[in-house]
Amino acid sequence: MSYAAVHDDEHHDHKPTGIGRWLFSTNHKDIGTMYLVFALIMFFIGGAMAMVIRAELFQPGLQYVDPQFFNSMTTVHALVMIFGAVMPAGVGLANWMIPMMVGAPDMAMPRMNNMSFWILPFAFTLLLSTFFMQGGAPAGGWTMYPPLVLQLGDGLPFLIFAVHFLGLSSIMGAINIIATVFNMRAPGMTFMRLPLFVWTWIITAFLLIAAMPVLAGGVTMLLTDKFFGTAFFDAAGGGDPVMFQHVFWFFGHPEVYILVLPSFGIISQIIPTFARKPLFGYASMVYATASIAFLSFFVWAHHMFTVGMPLAGELFFMYATMAIAVPTGVKVFNWTATMWKGSMTFETPMLFAIGVLFMFTLGGFTGLMMGITPVDFQYHDTYFIVAHFHYVLVPGIVFGIISGVYYWLPKWTGHMYDETLGKWHFWTSTISVNILFFPMHFLGLAGMPRRIPDYNTQFTDWNQIISIGGFAFGLSQLLLVWVVIKCVRGGEKATDQVWEGAHGLEFTLSSPPPFHSFTTPPEVTDATAHS
């Protein structure tokens, strides 16, 4: 074979086409796209499970599924939405945008990037295969509390291996993000000039590295309790089932911020762009984000006020919960101040970002209510809890991700999306998501327990309204799919300056200028001008 032919072969290896392009890709943009598409598929799978739940709860009594399968739906719905939809979507946006925002050619470890994505489909195949096993899918709640989860049939080891793989994928992605931002920034791109989206991801990556091994340890102890005769969580053998709750929530509360911080970063990019003003209080936003991450490790047992903790413990976790609300309030204030007296326009990304601001704040207020220990005794394990965390997760996090997709779609595809369809998507989603989750507060305050397939007839009316809102919200998301497909296939060409500025100011898609001025230092202009 001639030298030229060998050289061509080598060249071909580096530029695979067709399915090879996706299987072997080391390109951060392709991997980001795969993460986002995977997240969208999982979003609909998890959504289908939520629809089973809402169909069953449309009226009292048992209609469609038996209680065991209903419990499997609530359990796997949560696992799929958290680990399959929200986290991969955030990592997909990070993969796409971070190298461009810091002026790097790609992620620091491109092959590991490929591997951290391809672990995910296999992990979810393991998880979803439990539906076809003896004893059925996991039905002990997504928190996997013993002793309930230890009664699971053949599916338990598959659930635990799936969790291990998901954690492995997350840790690899986090290491990659940290290595990229720390080592591959363009000259002059100091830490305090990084776009806020990059900052939120650095902090999220450290949270992932700290929290995921804790979950891995907890589920490994579950595995040995079930199959190897240990008694970590078995009271008969000297163990304590409440210890699992401590281990789980020491992971679980930082996990909440792992989900929400990237969404904060996205709307910190979007609000300044459409307000035509630099972000108010850039430095305080960075410090607030870091404070949230640090404090998230000191509030875990506010999920456990009803387990019989000592009073001193309850007081500590109550005060810590109040403390973590402060930096979150700083962020809400700064976003609001950024919009104050700005030249605002209301394109779809801005609408979703404002939706995050309003509805996440509502979820935050109910969180403060639940942080007050004696009151939480009344709310605990009722639908009030479901209302609270869904206000944080859906309009707080999912809307944030969607706003980022609309914001960056022109950059990814070179085409403008259909603005009219985008606005329809926003309004149908916003109205239906509130019909879906707001009445849950009333049910919870009236005492309806969560995770139960049957209920007292007095709760029927609100449940029917909630279910109608749920189906409407699910259908609304088909608009997003249509907008994306339409945009990828063509449309009006996007300009270099996608979102035109007012007052002669124009912002690129990467970020508003550094916090202290409207001018970008000359040494960073080239690296970031097209990001």
Side-chain angles (χ1 to χ4, degrees):
M1 191 185 279
S2 70
Y3 171 81
V6 172
H7 192 72
D8 278 354
D9 266 6
E10 279 178 10
H11 186 71
H12 184 72
D13 282 349
H14 288 296
K15 286 271 189 194
T17 53
I19 194 157
R21 169 184 167 182
W22 302 102
L23 278 175
F24 309 118
S25 178
T26 51
N27 177 324
H28 72 100
K29 298 175 184 177
D30 284 353
I31 294 171
T33 303
M34 290 195 293
Y35 266 112
L36 287 163
V37 170
F38 176 79
L40 188 65
I41 292 166
M42 297 310 284
F43 183 54
F44 280 104
I45 291 173
M49 293 177 185
M51 294 304 93
V52 172
I53 295 166
R54 287 318 323 168
E56 179 56 59
L57 291 173
F58 189 75
Q59 57 191 53
L62 297 175
Q63 277 73 242
Y64 303 110
V65 293
D66 61 274
Q68 172 76 8
F69 189 76
F70 182 88
N71 291 346
S72 294
M73 287 286 104
T74 56
T75 303
V76 183
H77 161 73
L79 292 167
V80 164
M81 285 304 202
I82 290 168
F83 294 107
V86 174
M87 286 170 76
V91 177
L93 292 171
N95 257 303
W96 247 106
M97 300 313 300
I98 286 176
M100 295 195 279
M101 285 181 168
V102 301
D106 204 299
M107 295 295 277
M109 291 170 261
R111 289 190 189 276
M112 188 166 91
N113 204 11
N114 174 286
M115 186 175 171
S116 64
F117 170 76
W118 280 109
I119 287 171
L120 288 178
F122 292 98
F124 278 98
T125 304
L126 278 180
L127 177 62
L128 297 175
S129 67
T130 57
F131 280 104
F132 306 101
M133 293 177 189
Q134 188 76 38
W142 82 280
T143 50
M144 301 175 275
Y145 282 176
L148 196 58
V149 77
L150 295 174
Q151 291 158 18
L152 185 60
D154 296 345
L156 182 69
F158 287 84
L159 166 66
I160 288 170
F161 288 145
V163 168
H164 275 303
F165 280 129
L166 296 169
L168 186 66
S169 166
S170 296
I171 290 169
M172 286 161 66
I175 290 169
N176 215 343
I177 285 165
I178 291 169
T180 305
V181 179
F182 277 54
N183 299 325
M184 298 178 72
R185 301 191 309 285
M189 176 63 85
T190 60
F191 273 106
M192 291 312 274
R193 283 178 183 161
L194 288 174
L196 252 239
F197 178 71
V198 180
W199 258 118
T200 53
W201 256 109
I202 297 171
I203 291 164
T204 302
F206 279 110
L207 278 178
L208 277 165
I209 290 167
M212 292 311 284
V214 179
L215 177 66
V219 295
T220 305
M221 288 149 88
L222 278 180
L223 196 71
T224 60
D225 270 14
K226 173 84 171 176
F227 296 105
F228 297 100
T230 58
F232 292 112
F233 310 126
D234 181 3
D240 182 1
V242 175
M243 183 171 83
F244 180 83
Q245 295 191 29
H246 281 289
V247 173
F248 180 88
W249 286 114
F250 191 78
F251 145 80
H253 204 83
E255 169 67 17
V256 173
Y257 293 102
I258 288 165
L259 300 173
V260 84
L261 290 181
S263 174
F264 287 174
I266 293 163
I267 70 169
S268 299
Q269 302 296 125
I270 292 172
I271 289 174
T273 302
F274 294 99
R276 272 79 186 177
K277 280 172 66 188
L279 186 72
F280 180 87
Y282 172 94
S284 65
M285 285 294 248
V286 173
Y287 296 131
T289 311
S291 311
I292 289 170
F294 176 72
L295 290 169
S296 72
F297 286 102
F298 298 93
V299 294
W300 78 88
H302 69 201
H303 299 265
M304 301 167 49
F305 282 144
T306 56
V307 300
M309 260 188 288
L311 187 61
E314 290 181 344
L315 278 172
F316 171 82
F317 288 106
M318 179 168 83
Y319 292 140
T321 304
M322 298 297 151
I324 203 167
V326 176
T328 314
V330 168
K331 296 178 88 70
V332 171
F333 173 80
N334 285 12
W335 290 321
T336 310
T338 304
M339 294 190 286
W340 180 252
K341 292 192 175 175
S343 301
M344 297 227 291
T345 52
F346 298 96
E347 288 87 347
T348 309
M350 185 62 160
L351 289 174
F352 273 101
I354 294 171
V356 171
L357 187 55
F358 273 90
M359 292 182 276
F360 173 81
T361 304
L362 182 75
F365 279 130
T366 54
L368 272 176
M369 290 170 66
M370 291 169 350
I372 301 166
T373 311
V375 187
D376 184 67
F377 272 74
Q378 304 303 314
Y379 305 143
H380 193 76
D381 266 335
T382 70
Y383 256 81
F384 193 85
I385 306 281
V386 182
H388 155 72
F389 72 74
H390 279 90
Y391 261 96
V392 172
L393 278 165
V394 183
I397 300 171
V398 174
F399 274 34
I401 290 164
I402 292 170
S403 69
V405 169
Y406 278 111
Y407 184 55
W408 286 312
L409 253 181
K411 178 172 196 56
W412 299 339
T413 62
H415 306 125
M416 287 305 291
Y417 61 87
D418 185 324
E419 188 66 58
T420 309
L421 276 179
K423 287 195 164 121
W424 268 100
H425 177 222
F426 169 74
W427 286 111
T428 54
S429 296
T430 301
I431 293 164
S432 57
V433 88
N434 284 291
I435 295 171
L436 166 57
F437 296 124
F438 200 79
M440 290 183 181
H441 294 103
F442 309 147
L443 288 178
L445 293 174
M448 180 174 159
R450 62 196 274 215
R451 296 179 174 170
I452 304 289
D454 191 7
Y455 54 84
N456 196 311
T457 50
Q458 74 197 51
F459 302 132
T460 308
D461 292 354
W462 282 126
N463 269 299
Q464 293 188 335
I465 290 168
I466 290 167
S467 291
I468 291 164
F471 280 95
F473 181 74
L475 289 170
S476 302
Q477 303 324 301
L478 296 172
L479 278 171
L480 173 66
V481 179
W482 177 233
V483 170
V484 172
I485 291 170
K486 203 174 159 195
C487 186
V488 169
R489 288 173 62 182
E492 183 194 337
K493 283 270 180 275
T495 59
D496 280 351
Q497 299 286 349
V498 181
W499 310 112
E500 293 293 334
H503 309 311
L505 299 170
E506 290 189 335
F507 290 85
T508 58
L509 270 179
S510 67
S511 65
F515 61 96
H516 46 72
S517 73
F518 277 118
T519 56
T520 310
E523 68 268 30
V524 272
T525 306
D526 292 337
T528 57
H530 302 295
S531 55

PDB file of all heavy atoms in Angstrom, residues 505-530:
ATOM      1  N   LEU A 505     -25.378  48.453  21.188  1.00  0.00           N
ATOM      2  CA  LEU A 505     -24.603  47.393  21.832  1.00  0.00           C
ATOM      3  C   LEU A 505     -25.025  46.073  21.223  1.00  0.00           C
ATOM      4  O   LEU A 505     -26.190  45.822  21.027  1.00  0.00           O
ATOM      5  CB  LEU A 505     -24.899  47.339  23.335  1.00  0.00           C
ATOM      6  CG  LEU A 505     -24.562  48.584  24.134  1.00  0.00           C
ATOM      7  CD1 LEU A 505     -25.146  48.456  25.521  1.00  0.00           C
ATOM      8  CD2 LEU A 505     -23.056  48.722  24.213  1.00  0.00           C
ATOM      9  N   GLU A 506     -24.043  45.223  20.941  1.00  0.00           N
ATOM     10  CA  GLU A 506     -24.403  43.908  20.440  1.00  0.00           C
ATOM     11  C   GLU A 506     -23.674  42.867  21.267  1.00  0.00           C
ATOM     12  O   GLU A 506     -22.491  43.001  21.547  1.00  0.00           O
ATOM     13  CB  GLU A 506     -24.038  43.784  18.964  1.00  0.00           C
ATOM     14  CG  GLU A 506     -24.949  44.643  18.099  1.00  0.00           C
ATOM     15  CD  GLU A 506     -24.745  44.379  16.616  1.00  0.00           C
ATOM     16  OE1 GLU A 506     -23.657  43.939  16.262  1.00  0.00           O
ATOM     17  OE2 GLU A 506     -25.681  44.606  15.855  1.00  0.00           O
ATOM     18  N   PHE A 507     -24.418  41.845  21.649  1.00  0.00           N
ATOM     19  CA  PHE A 507     -23.837  40.803  22.488  1.00  0.00           C
ATOM     20  C   PHE A 507     -23.653  39.542  21.658  1.00  0.00           C
ATOM     21  O   PHE A 507     -24.540  39.158  20.916  1.00  0.00           O
ATOM     22  CB  PHE A 507     -24.764  40.497  23.668  1.00  0.00           C
ATOM     23  CG  PHE A 507     -24.809  41.612  24.672  1.00  0.00           C
ATOM     24  CD1 PHE A 507     -25.661  42.682  24.506  1.00  0.00           C
ATOM     25  CD2 PHE A 507     -23.964  41.585  25.761  1.00  0.00           C
ATOM     26  CE1 PHE A 507     -25.694  43.700  25.429  1.00  0.00           C
ATOM     27  CE2 PHE A 507     -23.986  42.599  26.688  1.00  0.00           C
ATOM     28  CZ  PHE A 507     -24.855  43.657  26.518  1.00  0.00           C
ATOM     29  N   THR A 508     -22.503  38.903  21.818  1.00  0.00           N
ATOM     30  CA  THR A 508     -22.334  37.599  21.189  1.00  0.00           C
ATOM     31  C   THR A 508     -23.037  36.569  22.044  1.00  0.00           C
ATOM     32  O   THR A 508     -23.439  36.849  23.167  1.00  0.00           O
ATOM     33  CB  THR A 508     -20.842  37.238  21.078  1.00  0.00           C
ATOM     34  OG1 THR A 508     -20.300  37.259  22.384  1.00  0.00           O
ATOM     35  CG2 THR A 508     -20.112  38.223  20.195  1.00  0.00           C
ATOM     36  N   LEU A 509     -23.126  35.358  21.506  1.00  0.00           N
ATOM     37  CA  LEU A 509     -23.888  34.335  22.216  1.00  0.00           C
ATOM     38  C   LEU A 509     -23.170  33.788  23.434  1.00  0.00           C
ATOM     39  O   LEU A 509     -23.765  33.131  24.250  1.00  0.00           O
ATOM     40  CB  LEU A 509     -24.173  33.174  21.266  1.00  0.00           C
ATOM     41  CG  LEU A 509     -25.461  33.340  20.501  1.00  0.00           C
ATOM     42  CD1 LEU A 509     -25.649  32.175  19.588  1.00  0.00           C
ATOM     43  CD2 LEU A 509     -26.637  33.433  21.452  1.00  0.00           C
ATOM     44  N   SER A 510     -21.861  33.995  23.555  1.00  0.00           N
ATOM     45  CA  SER A 510     -21.174  33.347  24.676  1.00  0.00           C
ATOM     46  C   SER A 510     -21.560  33.989  25.981  1.00  0.00           C
ATOM     47  O   SER A 510     -21.836  33.341  26.953  1.00  0.00           O
ATOM     48  CB  SER A 510     -19.677  33.454  24.509  1.00  0.00           C
ATOM     49  OG  SER A 510     -19.294  34.801  24.639  1.00  0.00           O
ATOM     50  N   SER A 511     -21.538  35.294  26.032  1.00  0.00           N
ATOM     51  CA  SER A 511     -21.740  35.943  27.319  1.00  0.00           C
ATOM     52  C   SER A 511     -21.842  37.428  27.115  1.00  0.00           C
ATOM     53  O   SER A 511     -21.380  37.959  26.122  1.00  0.00           O
ATOM     54  CB  SER A 511     -20.535  35.675  28.214  1.00  0.00           C
ATOM     55  OG  SER A 511     -19.397  36.293  27.651  1.00  0.00           O
ATOM     56  N   PRO A 512     -22.427  38.105  28.110  1.00  0.00           N
ATOM     57  CA  PRO A 512     -22.269  39.555  28.144  1.00  0.00           C
ATOM     58  C   PRO A 512     -20.786  39.857  28.376  1.00  0.00           C
ATOM     59  O   PRO A 512     -20.035  38.975  28.795  1.00  0.00           O
ATOM     60  CB  PRO A 512     -23.089  39.968  29.361  1.00  0.00           C
ATOM     61  CG  PRO A 512     -23.927  38.795  29.687  1.00  0.00           C
ATOM     62  CD  PRO A 512     -23.204  37.590  29.201  1.00  0.00           C
ATOM     63  N   PRO A 513     -20.349  41.083  28.140  1.00  0.00           N
ATOM     64  CA  PRO A 513     -18.950  41.421  28.385  1.00  0.00           C
ATOM     65  C   PRO A 513     -18.607  41.266  29.859  1.00  0.00           C
ATOM     66  O   PRO A 513     -19.497  41.087  30.681  1.00  0.00           O
ATOM     67  CB  PRO A 513     -18.868  42.896  27.957  1.00  0.00           C
ATOM     68  CG  PRO A 513     -20.073  43.138  27.137  1.00  0.00           C
ATOM     69  CD  PRO A 513     -21.112  42.179  27.602  1.00  0.00           C
ATOM     70  N   PRO A 514     -17.302  41.342  30.204  1.00  0.00           N
ATOM     71  CA  PRO A 514     -16.917  41.240  31.607  1.00  0.00           C
ATOM     72  C   PRO A 514     -17.700  42.230  32.453  1.00  0.00           C
ATOM     73  O   PRO A 514     -18.130  43.267  31.970  1.00  0.00           O
ATOM     74  CB  PRO A 514     -15.422  41.583  31.592  1.00  0.00           C
ATOM     75  CG  PRO A 514     -14.981  41.241  30.212  1.00  0.00           C
ATOM     76  CD  PRO A 514     -16.152  41.505  29.324  1.00  0.00           C
ATOM     77  N   PHE A 515     -17.834  41.879  33.734  1.00  0.00           N
ATOM     78  CA  PHE A 515     -18.805  42.576  34.568  1.00  0.00           C
ATOM     79  C   PHE A 515     -18.507  44.054  34.770  1.00  0.00           C
ATOM     80  O   PHE A 515     -19.376  44.819  35.133  1.00  0.00           O
ATOM     81  CB  PHE A 515     -18.899  41.889  35.930  1.00  0.00           C
ATOM     82  CG  PHE A 515     -17.601  41.890  36.704  1.00  0.00           C
ATOM     83  CD1 PHE A 515     -17.343  42.852  37.659  1.00  0.00           C
ATOM     84  CD2 PHE A 515     -16.641  40.929  36.448  1.00  0.00           C
ATOM     85  CE1 PHE A 515     -16.154  42.835  38.364  1.00  0.00           C
ATOM     86  CE2 PHE A 515     -15.460  40.915  37.150  1.00  0.00           C
ATOM     87  CZ  PHE A 515     -15.205  41.860  38.106  1.00  0.00           C
ATOM     88  N   HIS A 516     -17.239  44.483  34.535  1.00  0.00           N
ATOM     89  CA  HIS A 516     -16.911  45.849  34.911  1.00  0.00           C
ATOM     90  C   HIS A 516     -17.077  46.834  33.765  1.00  0.00           C
ATOM     91  O   HIS A 516     -16.941  48.034  33.970  1.00  0.00           O
ATOM     92  CB  HIS A 516     -15.479  45.916  35.443  1.00  0.00           C
ATOM     93  CG  HIS A 516     -14.525  45.159  34.576  1.00  0.00           C
ATOM     94  ND1 HIS A 516     -14.143  45.602  33.346  1.00  0.00           N
ATOM     95  CD2 HIS A 516     -13.932  43.962  34.771  1.00  0.00           C
ATOM     96  CE1 HIS A 516     -13.301  44.707  32.816  1.00  0.00           C
ATOM     97  NE2 HIS A 516     -13.170  43.713  33.655  1.00  0.00           N
ATOM     98  N   SER A 517     -17.322  46.375  32.541  1.00  0.00           N
ATOM     99  CA  SER A 517     -17.437  47.348  31.442  1.00  0.00           C
ATOM    100  C   SER A 517     -18.129  46.711  30.259  1.00  0.00           C
ATOM    101  O   SER A 517     -18.358  45.524  30.210  1.00  0.00           O
ATOM    102  CB  SER A 517     -16.056  47.828  31.018  1.00  0.00           C
ATOM    103  OG  SER A 517     -15.396  46.798  30.314  1.00  0.00           O
ATOM    104  N   PHE A 518     -18.418  47.529  29.256  1.00  0.00           N
ATOM    105  CA  PHE A 518     -19.014  47.019  28.023  1.00  0.00           C
ATOM    106  C   PHE A 518     -17.947  46.583  27.032  1.00  0.00           C
ATOM    107  O   PHE A 518     -18.245  46.137  25.962  1.00  0.00           O
ATOM    108  CB  PHE A 518     -19.870  48.102  27.370  1.00  0.00           C
ATOM    109  CG  PHE A 518     -21.236  48.193  27.955  1.00  0.00           C
ATOM    110  CD1 PHE A 518     -21.686  49.339  28.585  1.00  0.00           C
ATOM    111  CD2 PHE A 518     -22.083  47.106  27.883  1.00  0.00           C
ATOM    112  CE1 PHE A 518     -22.956  49.410  29.112  1.00  0.00           C
ATOM    113  CE2 PHE A 518     -23.365  47.169  28.408  1.00  0.00           C
ATOM    114  CZ  PHE A 518     -23.797  48.327  29.030  1.00  0.00           C
ATOM    115  N   THR A 519     -16.689  46.803  27.337  1.00  0.00           N
ATOM    116  CA  THR A 519     -15.647  46.499  26.357  1.00  0.00           C
ATOM    117  C   THR A 519     -14.967  45.205  26.733  1.00  0.00           C
ATOM    118  O   THR A 519     -14.746  44.917  27.899  1.00  0.00           O
ATOM    119  CB  THR A 519     -14.595  47.622  26.321  1.00  0.00           C
ATOM    120  OG1 THR A 519     -14.096  47.789  27.646  1.00  0.00           O
ATOM    121  CG2 THR A 519     -15.215  48.921  25.842  1.00  0.00           C
ATOM    122  N   THR A 520     -14.622  44.425  25.732  1.00  0.00           N
ATOM    123  CA  THR A 520     -13.913  43.175  25.971  1.00  0.00           C
ATOM    124  C   THR A 520     -12.422  43.446  25.827  1.00  0.00           C
ATOM    125  O   THR A 520     -12.015  44.068  24.854  1.00  0.00           O
ATOM    126  CB  THR A 520     -14.346  42.122  24.937  1.00  0.00           C
ATOM    127  OG1 THR A 520     -15.764  42.106  24.924  1.00  0.00           O
ATOM    128  CG2 THR A 520     -13.830  40.764  25.291  1.00  0.00           C
ATOM    129  N   PRO A 521     -11.599  43.008  26.784  1.00  0.00           N
ATOM    130  CA  PRO A 521     -10.162  43.258  26.664  1.00  0.00           C
ATOM    131  C   PRO A 521      -9.638  42.672  25.357  1.00  0.00           C
ATOM    132  O   PRO A 521     -10.078  41.607  24.932  1.00  0.00           O
ATOM    133  CB  PRO A 521      -9.574  42.509  27.869  1.00  0.00           C
ATOM    134  CG  PRO A 521     -10.707  42.312  28.803  1.00  0.00           C
ATOM    135  CD  PRO A 521     -11.942  42.257  27.973  1.00  0.00           C
ATOM    136  N   PRO A 522      -8.686  43.371  24.713  1.00  0.00           N
ATOM    137  CA  PRO A 522      -8.234  42.942  23.388  1.00  0.00           C
ATOM    138  C   PRO A 522      -7.694  41.525  23.373  1.00  0.00           C
ATOM    139  O   PRO A 522      -7.885  40.792  22.425  1.00  0.00           O
ATOM    140  CB  PRO A 522      -7.131  43.960  23.044  1.00  0.00           C
ATOM    141  CG  PRO A 522      -6.826  44.695  24.320  1.00  0.00           C
ATOM    142  CD  PRO A 522      -8.044  44.604  25.171  1.00  0.00           C
ATOM    143  N   GLU A 523      -7.052  41.100  24.495  1.00  0.00           N
ATOM    144  CA  GLU A 523      -6.448  39.766  24.457  1.00  0.00           C
ATOM    145  C   GLU A 523      -7.475  38.639  24.456  1.00  0.00           C
ATOM    146  O   GLU A 523      -7.162  37.520  24.105  1.00  0.00           O
ATOM    147  CB  GLU A 523      -5.457  39.580  25.610  1.00  0.00           C
ATOM    148  CG  GLU A 523      -6.087  39.526  27.010  1.00  0.00           C
ATOM    149  CD  GLU A 523      -6.147  40.894  27.654  1.00  0.00           C
ATOM    150  OE1 GLU A 523      -6.266  41.891  26.905  1.00  0.00           O
ATOM    151  OE2 GLU A 523      -6.074  40.961  28.890  1.00  0.00           O
ATOM    152  N   VAL A 524      -8.735  38.930  24.870  1.00  0.00           N
ATOM    153  CA  VAL A 524      -9.733  37.858  24.818  1.00  0.00           C
ATOM    154  C   VAL A 524     -10.661  37.972  23.629  1.00  0.00           C
ATOM    155  O   VAL A 524     -11.424  37.069  23.375  1.00  0.00           O
ATOM    156  CB  VAL A 524     -10.607  37.767  26.099  1.00  0.00           C
ATOM    157  CG1 VAL A 524      -9.975  36.893  27.121  1.00  0.00           C
ATOM    158  CG2 VAL A 524     -10.980  39.093  26.643  1.00  0.00           C
ATOM    159  N   THR A 525     -10.592  39.060  22.900  1.00  0.00           N
ATOM    160  CA  THR A 525     -11.567  39.283  21.831  1.00  0.00           C
ATOM    161  C   THR A 525     -11.564  38.141  20.833  1.00  0.00           C
ATOM    162  O   THR A 525     -12.589  37.559  20.527  1.00  0.00           O
ATOM    163  CB  THR A 525     -11.272  40.604  21.097  1.00  0.00           C
ATOM    164  OG1 THR A 525     -11.214  41.630  22.068  1.00  0.00           O
ATOM    165  CG2 THR A 525     -12.374  40.909  20.108  1.00  0.00           C
ATOM    166  N   ASP A 526     -10.381  37.760  20.352  1.00  0.00           N
ATOM    167  CA  ASP A 526     -10.317  36.752  19.293  1.00  0.00           C
ATOM    168  C   ASP A 526     -10.824  35.409  19.773  1.00  0.00           C
ATOM    169  O   ASP A 526     -11.515  34.689  19.068  1.00  0.00           O
ATOM    170  CB  ASP A 526      -8.876  36.608  18.783  1.00  0.00           C
ATOM    171  CG  ASP A 526      -8.445  37.863  18.038  1.00  0.00           C
ATOM    172  OD1 ASP A 526      -9.343  38.599  17.560  1.00  0.00           O
ATOM    173  OD2 ASP A 526      -7.238  38.107  17.971  1.00  0.00           O
ATOM    174  N   ALA A 527     -10.462  35.083  21.000  1.00  0.00           N
ATOM    175  CA  ALA A 527     -10.833  33.762  21.514  1.00  0.00           C
ATOM    176  C   ALA A 527     -12.332  33.641  21.715  1.00  0.00           C
ATOM    177  O   ALA A 527     -12.900  32.587  21.544  1.00  0.00           O
ATOM    178  CB  ALA A 527     -10.119  33.511  22.829  1.00  0.00           C
ATOM    179  N   THR A 528     -12.956  34.752  22.096  1.00  0.00           N
ATOM    180  CA  THR A 528     -14.358  34.631  22.502  1.00  0.00           C
ATOM    181  C   THR A 528     -15.335  35.284  21.547  1.00  0.00           C
ATOM    182  O   THR A 528     -16.529  35.152  21.706  1.00  0.00           O
ATOM    183  CB  THR A 528     -14.569  35.266  23.892  1.00  0.00           C
ATOM    184  OG1 THR A 528     -14.133  36.625  23.824  1.00  0.00           O
ATOM    185  CG2 THR A 528     -13.790  34.538  24.958  1.00  0.00           C
ATOM    186  N   ALA A 529     -14.812  35.979  20.528  1.00  0.00           N
ATOM    187  CA  ALA A 529     -15.721  36.745  19.668  1.00  0.00           C
ATOM    188  C   ALA A 529     -16.754  35.864  19.007  1.00  0.00           C
ATOM    189  O   ALA A 529     -17.901  36.252  18.817  1.00  0.00           O
ATOM    190  CB  ALA A 529     -14.924  37.490  18.616  1.00  0.00           C
ATOM    191  N   HIS A 530     -16.360  34.638  18.669  1.00  0.00           N
ATOM    192  CA  HIS A 530     -17.308  33.777  17.946  1.00  0.00           C
ATOM    193  C   HIS A 530     -17.876  32.714  18.848  1.00  0.00           C
ATOM    194  O   HIS A 530     -18.399  31.719  18.396  1.00  0.00           O
ATOM    195  CB  HIS A 530     -16.611  33.156  16.728  1.00  0.00           C
ATOM    196  CG  HIS A 530     -16.071  34.192  15.809  1.00  0.00           C
ATOM    197  ND1 HIS A 530     -16.890  35.065  15.127  1.00  0.00           N
ATOM    198  CD2 HIS A 530     -14.799  34.546  15.514  1.00  0.00           C
ATOM    199  CE1 HIS A 530     -16.138  35.895  14.417  1.00  0.00           C
ATOM    200  NE2 HIS A 530     -14.874  35.611  14.644  1.00  0.00           N
TER     201      HIS A 530
END
